[in-house]
Amino acid sequence: METSTDRTDGLRALRWPLRLTWAGMLAEAMVQAFWPMLALVLAVLAALMMGAQDALAGGALWAVLAVIGLAALFTLFFALRRFRLPSRAAALARLDASLPGRPIRALLDDQAIGAGDATSAAVWQAHQRRMAARAAAAKPVKGDLRVAQADPYALRYVALLGFMVALVFGSVWRLGEVTHLAPGGAGGTLASGPVWEGWAEPPRHTGKPTLYLNDLEAGVLSLPEGTLITLRLYGELGALTVAESVSGREVAASSEPAQDFTLRQSGEISIDGPGARAWQITLLPDAVPQVERLGPPEVTALGEMSLPFLARDDYGVEAGEARISLDLASVDRRYGLTVDPEPRPEIVVPLPMPISGDRRDFEETLIENFSKHPWANLPVSLQLSVLDASEQQAVTEVSQLTLPGRRFFDPAAAAVIEMRRDLLWSRANAPRIAQVLRAVTYAPGDDLRSEVTALRLKQVIRRLELRARYGLGEEVQTELAEDLWALAIELEEGVLADALERMRRAQDRLNEAMKNGASQAEIAELMDELRRATEDYLEQLQRQQAQEGAGEDQQPQGEAMQMTQDDLQRMMDRIQELMEQGRMAEAAEALRQLQEMMENIRVTEGQPGQGGNSPGEQAMEGLSDTLREQQGLSDQAFRDLQEQFNPGTGAGESDGNEGRNGGQGRGESHEGQRGQGGPSGEEGGEEGLAGRQQALRDELRRQQGRLPGQGTAEGDAARDALDRAGEAMDRAGEALRRDELAEAIDNQAQAMEALREGMRALGEAMEPEQRAGQPGQGTAEGGDQRGEGRDPLGREQGGSGANSSDAPLAQGPDDQGRARRLLDEIRRRSGEAERPEVERDYLNRLLDRF
């Protein structure tokens, strides 16, 4: 009895696993048998949804239907032959095979022998209970749906992919057209109709998609102007008619099978017959583009014109151009312009368009230089125009302006340019131009700057006279104009070896520009030119004084003035500020004062007892201050690193570093950083250190620009070292902004080492100047004066050079003992395991370096 109960409970537990296993076997049998039929159905549906039936007509239709029918019969035969309905016994056997020891079969068995033996019966019952427990844990067996062996080319996936594409890009409603393909269907085949199809294709430049009219319900429809309407009528001729009033044609309703027309106006499109439909079309007109100038043209001193403009269109501007023509009525017809000008085509310049982005509404700037054109600095008419994709054009009103050209401040250059203009105006001016240029070269004085320039001008005059006598062709006219342009440029800019003359010329050009009311851009450009010329003059003056003994034989003339580079920079900044504010009178007065000061500094610069420290000494002092500030900044970063990993111990452990920030102590150099607010101070932390590092880098960059010794080996070595120091400072600043204190300290150490190398190279470059400045050097009276002001070890006392006793990291009487104690302390700290790994890595790098 107990055995029967165990068997019943075990089989009852198999009810749902058995059913699910049977269902899996059924699905397996259906897939194995019907997959060709399913693939064929999906492929046919995909073709119909994508509109393949549109191309079927006549014999092709019957051929395709025959192929599909044969394929359907084959798949049906294949399915009937392969399909077998799974039995319950087969499902039970599959489920039993999935269990260890086949417990289901054991539960269904009866004891064959030993039934009357109590011991044997007990063993059998125990076996049945064990099998029942195993059967109770049965799980449904999944059906094998793989048909890869039967479908090695994966045709089922191809059909499925085509069906998915048809769902996305096709139309399910087109399946209803299948009835039209069958003989005797509603309306017959598509070729016999009557059915219709239509498309509305907007112009490509609108960016709008093509519409399938069969999918659109009757009603109001808005379409862009120029939309192409395509209609196709199938079936008996006259069964369908089309009437439209949107193309502007005066035609009655038409039943032509193929009809195409373009949308030109609002109206109606109607199709009469089976499937009749009508739309009220609203025309969306293509707006005319717009263009306008955004202000007057801006002109630089070199004649480059910048003309801002704005353009817009509803679909985008395609192209544009600027047309410039000579305004002959406004030309001052004097001198070489009295004769009639030679005909020249108007200037056509394409307007710049955005390379990427939206062209429907944009602002751009036309930048051109017309300085070499014959109409430069003459009245012209300007008109801008733009074009859209439908070839609609918009133009601005004609505006009158003077065609910008380069301004020449040198009188001789201006005269040559005027003669060039007259030559290009008309070749009939050639004899007069030669006569005027001969007058210029008769007694030029200093106007032609050099004999080479005078010879070049005389050669141009001879060619001009010779060609004028035998006929001046257009090609020769162009060549002579190019020669005159090059000559004027040389007269204007010159090849001046004297920097003082270049500076004076820059001052004169700036004065002339202020008097003539030049633009802000032109004044800024001339101001930059003055700055460059002044810097070149000062460098040449320093180099000349170093080579000639700093002017020992010169005597002060007039009142001596002392001026530093910073004073000069501030004066020029003040002049530019006054000019930008429109205070031209004050700016002219400040420029006059600057001219007087530069003339005075030419006389008094470098005079013994008058000039103060030499440029080399000033540079050495500045680099020494930079080195001290960098040392203090590095000490502060190291204390911050200690505080970061050992809170509360940074201040105590850094007591030995007090004063390392350049001798100023914590009170001045670090006040407001860590000395007052601690780590949480407003200016504390890495942001404050990064800002101070950037300021120090800017100061070094300024000092590099005033470094003497250019052209010498020692001076170049000093500049290379300072370049390395600047790069290390940049890396240190980046590390501070990333809160990488250890990396910043390494870069700061590299910057300090490079600064020391630069100062040593600068000191070597200054030795000839120092020897030249020591009176009596090498004589019996003076003896050797190099020992004055030095300690017994030969170091400067109280100086600021690289070898002075108060220089950073100077070596004192206890230099070896102090260095030994410092290395011992570094070794001790690097061996403490409780310290953070980052700090110990940094200390080990210090030991490797020193």
Side-chain angles (χ1 to χ4, degrees):
M1 185 65 180
E2 186 177 354
T3 301
S4 177
T5 302
D6 294 336
R7 177 188 300 176
T8 303
D9 294 340
L11 294 176
R12 185 182 298 111
L14 294 174
R15 182 172 52 186
W16 279 109
L18 181 62
R19 291 177 179 176
L20 294 176
T21 301
W22 181 86
M25 295 178 66
L26 178 62
E28 177 182 337
M30 294 183 66
V31 170
Q32 295 286 345
F34 290 99
W35 73 263
M37 182 179 295
L38 179 62
L40 178 63
V41 171
L42 291 177
V44 172
L45 290 177
L48 293 176
M49 292 167 62
M50 294 297 293
Q53 63 272 25
D54 298 341
L56 298 178
L61 170 63
W62 294 108
V64 171
L65 290 177
V67 171
I68 295 176
L70 291 175
L73 291 176
F74 172 77
T75 57
L76 180 61
F77 174 75
F78 181 86
L80 295 176
R81 183 178 180 183
R82 296 289 298 271
F83 181 73
R84 295 292 182 271
L85 187 67
S87 63
R88 183 176 183 277
L92 193 62
R94 177 174 289 190
L95 183 61
D96 191 24
S98 67
L99 299 173
R102 295 187 177 270
I104 300 176
R105 182 178 295 275
L107 287 176
L108 296 176
D109 288 344
D110 293 326
Q111 186 176 2
I113 59 175
D117 185 3
T119 303
S120 177
V123 173
W124 176 255
Q125 292 173 5
H127 175 65
Q128 289 287 82
R129 285 194 298 271
R130 189 182 303 113
M131 294 298 102
R134 290 184 182 180
K139 301 294 183 183
V141 180
K142 299 179 180 179
D144 187 6
L145 304 181
R146 293 173 296 178
V147 293
Q149 292 182 352
D151 183 20
Y153 299 104
L155 297 179
R156 62 195 186 282
Y157 292 132
V158 174
L160 179 61
L161 178 61
F163 181 73
M164 298 301 296
V165 171
L167 284 178
V168 176
F169 298 102
S171 174
V172 179
W173 303 109
R174 305 205 67 179
L175 295 176
E177 298 177 5
V178 176
T179 58
H180 300 288
L181 299 176
T189 63
L190 181 62
S192 60
V195 293
W196 61 272
E197 282 189 300
W199 298 267
E201 183 180 359
R204 181 170 298 180
H205 68 269
T206 63
K208 298 184 179 299
T210 300
L211 303 178
Y212 185 58
L213 296 180
N214 297 64
D215 291 340
L216 301 179
E217 297 294 335
V220 178
L221 183 61
S222 298
L223 295 174
E225 182 180 2
T227 299
L228 177 63
I229 306 297
T230 301
L231 294 175
R232 295 293 179 264
L233 308 181
Y234 307 107
E236 182 181 356
L237 186 63
L240 294 172
T241 58
V242 176
E244 56 88 12
S245 59
V246 296
S247 64
R249 303 177 302 175
E250 295 182 359
V251 294
S254 173
S255 58
E256 292 293 330
Q259 299 187 34
D260 302 289
F261 49 89
T262 303
L263 186 62
R264 299 300 182 190
Q265 62 188 18
S266 298
E268 184 179 6
I269 300 176
S270 61
I271 302 175
D272 297 328
R277 202 170 301 179
W279 299 275
Q280 287 73 42
I281 304 299
T282 300
L283 179 70
L284 299 178
D286 190 353
V288 177
Q290 300 178 14
V291 60
E292 59 178 303
R293 289 171 48 185
L294 296 180
E298 298 180 0
V299 186
T300 65
L302 299 181
E304 185 177 75
M305 179 190 73
S306 300
L307 180 64
F309 67 92
L310 178 146
R312 61 170 62 96
D313 185 65
D314 50 355
Y315 297 118
V317 176
E318 288 293 316
E321 63 184 16
R323 292 184 173 271
I324 302 174
S325 57
L326 180 65
D327 186 8
L328 190 59
S330 302
V331 175
D332 186 5
R333 305 293 295 275
R334 294 188 297 172
Y335 310 120
L337 305 181
T338 55
V339 300
D340 293 334
E342 296 177 356
R344 289 188 179 275
E346 61 181 0
I347 304 173
V348 180
V349 181
L351 294 179
M353 296 287 144
I355 298 177
S356 60
D358 194 357
R359 288 192 179 186
R360 289 180 296 182
D361 192 349
F362 63 91
E363 295 181 7
E364 279 287 347
T365 302
L366 173 64
I367 301 177
E368 290 288 341
N369 194 325
F370 300 104
S371 298
K372 299 181 70 173
H373 196 274
W375 297 342
N377 298 314
L378 291 178
V380 294
S381 300
L382 172 66
Q383 188 177 50
L384 305 182
S385 63
V386 293
L387 193 72
D388 65 2
S390 58
E391 298 187 356
Q392 296 183 102
Q393 187 178 27
V395 297
T396 61
E397 295 183 358
V398 178
S399 56
Q400 312 298 328
L401 72 157
T402 299
L403 186 64
R406 176 167 179 162
R407 301 181 62 180
F408 290 84
F409 299 93
D410 184 87
V416 171
I417 284 297
E418 184 178 351
M419 294 301 101
R420 176 183 179 274
R421 181 204 63 189
D422 294 347
L423 176 62
L424 293 174
W425 180 266
S426 175
R427 279 168 280 182
N429 285 324
R432 175 184 173 278
I433 294 172
Q435 185 178 7
V436 172
L437 291 179
R438 280 202 174 275
V440 172
T441 58
Y442 176 70
D446 296 334
D447 292 338
L448 297 183
R449 307 298 180 187
S450 66
E451 294 183 0
V452 175
T453 305
L455 289 175
R456 286 186 59 188
L457 182 57
K458 290 179 181 179
Q459 183 180 7
V460 171
I461 294 173
R462 285 195 295 269
R463 289 184 59 196
L464 187 61
E465 291 176 339
L466 180 62
R467 293 292 184 176
R469 185 179 308 168
Y470 297 103
L472 189 63
E474 183 177 352
E475 183 177 352
V476 177
Q477 179 191 31
T478 304
E479 292 178 359
L480 289 173
E482 287 295 328
D483 293 341
L484 289 173
W485 176 266
L487 187 61
I489 294 296
E490 181 176 332
L491 289 170
E492 177 71 13
E493 297 180 352
V495 187
L496 301 177
D498 187 359
L500 177 61
E501 181 64 24
R502 189 181 300 112
M503 182 185 66
R504 287 173 175 170
R505 180 174 299 182
Q507 292 170 347
D508 294 341
R509 294 180 66 181
L510 185 58
N511 251 329
E512 186 71 18
M514 286 191 293
K515 292 177 182 178
N516 295 336
S519 64
Q520 295 290 342
E522 185 176 355
I523 289 178
E525 189 172 348
L526 293 174
M527 197 70 204
D528 291 339
E529 181 183 349
L530 176 59
R531 292 177 193 271
R532 292 191 298 268
T534 304
E535 291 176 0
D536 293 343
Y537 166 65
L538 291 177
E539 289 182 4
Q540 182 177 349
L541 181 63
Q542 294 172 359
R543 190 179 303 112
Q544 180 179 356
Q545 290 176 348
Q547 294 174 355
E548 298 178 359
E552 293 178 352
D553 298 331
Q554 297 179 5
Q555 299 297 329
Q557 301 177 10
E559 183 182 359
M561 289 188 180
Q562 298 181 13
M563 180 187 300
T564 66
Q565 186 76 12
D566 292 337
D567 297 334
L568 182 63
Q569 188 69 27
R570 281 192 294 269
M571 286 196 67
M572 286 193 287
D573 290 343
R574 178 59 177 167
I575 294 173
Q576 186 169 0
E577 180 181 357
L578 291 173
M579 288 188 295
E580 291 175 353
Q581 295 175 357
R583 300 156 65 179
M584 294 301 176
E586 298 180 37
E589 178 61 24
L591 182 60
R592 185 189 62 79
Q593 295 177 3
L594 176 63
Q595 291 173 335
E596 293 179 356
M597 295 179 69
M598 295 305 298
E599 291 292 333
N600 192 42
I601 199 173
R602 181 178 67 86
V603 175
T604 62
E605 180 77 5
Q607 293 296 327
Q610 298 291 338
N613 292 338
S614 68
E617 292 175 347
Q618 294 177 2
M620 188 67 78
E621 290 178 0
L623 293 177
S624 180
D625 293 339
T626 302
L627 181 57
R628 280 196 296 271
E629 293 177 8
Q630 183 63 80
Q631 180 66 59
L633 189 58
S634 180
D635 292 344
Q636 179 65 41
F638 183 70
R639 282 192 289 271
D640 288 353
L641 182 64
Q642 288 179 313
E643 181 68 22
Q644 181 177 351
F645 294 101
N646 294 285
T649 62
E653 293 180 2
S654 62
D655 291 342
N657 288 333
E658 291 292 343
R660 289 287 304 276
N661 56 356
Q664 297 173 352
R666 290 172 64 90
E668 180 178 347
S669 179
H670 297 150
E671 183 178 359
Q673 302 288 335
R674 297 294 298 267
Q676 297 293 335
S680 61
E682 292 182 359
E683 299 179 5
E686 286 65 38
E687 285 299 328
L689 293 179
R692 291 168 56 194
Q693 184 67 69
Q694 183 60 43
L696 199 59
R697 175 67 178 99
D698 296 340
E699 175 63 21
L700 178 63
R701 187 179 290 108
R702 188 184 64 83
Q703 292 172 354
Q704 285 180 270
R706 303 185 310 184
L707 200 67
Q710 185 176 6
T712 63
E714 295 82 1
D716 293 341
R719 283 174 168 80
D720 292 340
L722 294 186
D723 288 339
R724 295 196 302 273
E727 294 174 358
M729 287 182 179
D730 290 334
R731 294 194 298 270
E734 290 294 332
L736 288 173
R737 279 186 283 273
R738 297 194 310 268
D739 198 16
E740 297 288 345
L741 293 177
E743 180 182 350
I745 293 172
D746 285 343
N747 288 311
Q748 289 170 341
Q750 296 175 13
M752 289 187 287
E753 182 63 26
L755 282 172
R756 296 188 187 99
E757 293 180 6
M759 293 173 66
R760 283 194 293 269
L762 182 59
E764 294 175 0
M766 290 171 53
E767 287 182 0
E769 179 181 348
Q770 293 174 350
R771 286 196 298 268
Q774 293 174 356
Q777 181 178 354
T779 64
E781 293 83 356
D784 190 357
Q785 301 294 330
R786 288 176 294 178
E788 294 184 4
R790 299 178 179 268
D791 61 11
L793 296 179
R795 297 176 300 185
E796 297 179 358
Q797 296 181 353
S800 59
N803 299 322
S804 61
S805 58
D806 64 343
L809 301 181
Q811 298 184 4
D814 192 23
D815 54 345
Q816 296 182 357
R818 184 169 179 264
R820 188 181 304 108
R821 289 192 299 272
L822 182 60
L823 286 175
D824 291 342
E825 179 65 19
I826 293 176
R827 290 192 184 96
R828 182 186 67 80
R829 296 187 182 186
S830 65
E832 295 177 354
E834 65 273 8
R835 290 185 177 273
E837 185 179 354
V838 175
E839 182 178 355
R840 286 190 282 110
D841 290 344
Y842 170 69
L843 295 174
N844 290 329
R845 289 197 299 270
L846 286 179
L847 291 175
D848 294 340
R849 182 183 295 273
F850 300 106

